[in-house]
Amino acid sequence: MTTTGSPGIRRAAVLGSPIAHSLSPVLHRAAYAAMGLDAWRYDRFEVDEAALPGFIGGLDTAQWRGLSLTMPLKRAVIPLLDEVSDTAASVEAVNTVVFGADGRRRGDNTDIPGMLAALRERGVGPVPSAAVLGAGATASSALAALARLGAGEVTAYVRGPARAAEMRHWGERLGVPVRTAEWADAAKALGEPLVIATTPAGAADHLADAVPDRPGALFDVLYDPWPTPLAAAWSARGGPVIGGLDLLVHQAVLQIEQYTGRTPVPLAAMRAAGEAALAGH
């Protein structure tokens, strides 16, 4: 692994485990090319929780400007940081690390504003109620985005009492009224004005047959394979669908702004690059 390079080079990367599937390099490199940032490099590294302190400690911060973090690192990184934004602290999850000129490490969460931007791009505004499928870091980010969107009561469909308690905890912390329901009843979620699916690939496929004739909006955070059976059934019935690529692009735009200090960031070019990469699988 090389974490240094030629003078003048600026570096960033995505870390996680597994990481080979990540589209982040495609999106960031497309942005750098469109912005004329020829000295910028963006890579991916397989890094787990045990290896994270050593990796970050070994970076030459004269060249490194930022890191994108995916699972399982979003919470493991927090003790390694000098500062954490209020947004990241609200859900105890960091997906963005920015290295300051003084070497300080600042953690942020661009998933939450990225999710909000993706919803608003498709015309989704305040809703009287919503449903979240699943629990965990992405689900808590969804609750935070719903709080900013202006949602009413949120019903979280989860497996088991521990995850139910976790989602109620996040609701209280984020100021969102959350009730929980059994995963076995998840088909009932599909009648809500907005449904956010945060479950792993395949977990919600069985719900495709339960999509109502006039559905509200669906935000399915998966992007590969796409469309998911649920998203395809939703679109077939005329409901608006926001996908994981939409989230990935919007949160990456915010990362690039922080890494480079430059705006505007070319969202359309990034989305086109992501679509092309997915089509080429």
Side-chain angles (χ1 to χ4, degrees):
M1 178 187 70
T2 301
T3 54
T4 60
S6 304
I9 295 295
R10 296 292 177 260
R11 300 195 63 183
V14 60
L15 313 182
S17 184
I19 200 62
H21 68 285
S22 176
L23 272 185
S24 291
V26 170
L27 304 184
H28 284 251
R29 291 168 184 169
Y32 298 161
M35 296 168 75
L37 299 176
D38 298 334
W40 281 74
R41 303 288 182 268
Y42 190 97
D43 301 296
R44 64 163 70 90
F45 293 98
E46 181 86 16
V47 178
D48 61 15
E49 292 161 291
L52 184 62
F55 184 94
I56 291 181
L59 297 180
D60 175 5
T61 54
Q63 295 184 341
W64 282 80
R65 291 295 177 263
L67 298 172
S68 310
L69 302 177
T70 185
M71 297 303 291
L73 305 178
K74 293 184 180 184
R75 290 183 175 148
V77 75
I78 292 175
L80 307 176
L81 303 175
D82 298 302
E83 181 185 351
V84 175
S85 71
D86 291 343
T87 300
S90 72
V91 292
E92 296 178 6
V94 166
N95 78 322
T96 304
V97 176
V98 180
F99 299 106
D102 57 359
R104 286 177 62 82
R105 306 164 181 170
R106 182 178 187 274
D108 194 14
N109 185 308
T110 63
D111 285 333
I112 294 168
M115 193 172 289
L116 188 61
L119 286 164
R120 288 176 170 165
E121 182 184 35
R122 300 303 173 93
V124 179
V127 290
S129 60
V132 173
L133 304 179
T138 305
S140 59
S141 292
L143 289 179
L146 288 169
R148 296 185 180 195
L149 185 70
E153 184 178 71
V154 177
T155 304
Y157 291 82
V158 299
R159 298 184 191 274
R163 291 181 178 178
E166 180 182 1
M167 289 299 283
R168 288 193 295 269
H169 160 76
W170 287 117
E172 291 172 6
R173 182 164 171 168
L174 296 165
V176 181
V178 173
R179 63 179 290 268
T180 55
E182 296 283 345
W183 178 252
D185 296 325
K188 295 178 181 178
L190 307 188
E192 294 286 354
L194 171 60
V195 179
I196 303 182
T198 71
T199 49
D205 289 358
H206 68 287
L207 298 175
D209 293 335
V211 176
D213 289 337
R214 295 184 178 182
L218 171 69
F219 195 154
D220 191 330
V221 303
L222 297 172
Y223 62 82
D224 187 21
W226 186 262
T228 63
L230 179 59
W234 206 277
S235 293
R237 288 166 177 78
V241 174
I242 304 102
L245 181 59
D246 298 309
L247 169 59
L248 198 62
V249 169
H250 278 284
Q251 65 84 25
V253 164
L254 298 171
Q255 289 183 333
I256 293 165
E257 288 178 355
Q258 293 191 47
Y259 297 164
T260 68
R262 294 269 300 270
T263 59
V265 177
L267 185 146
M270 295 165 66
R271 177 177 277 137
E275 289 172 346
L278 291 172
H281 278 195

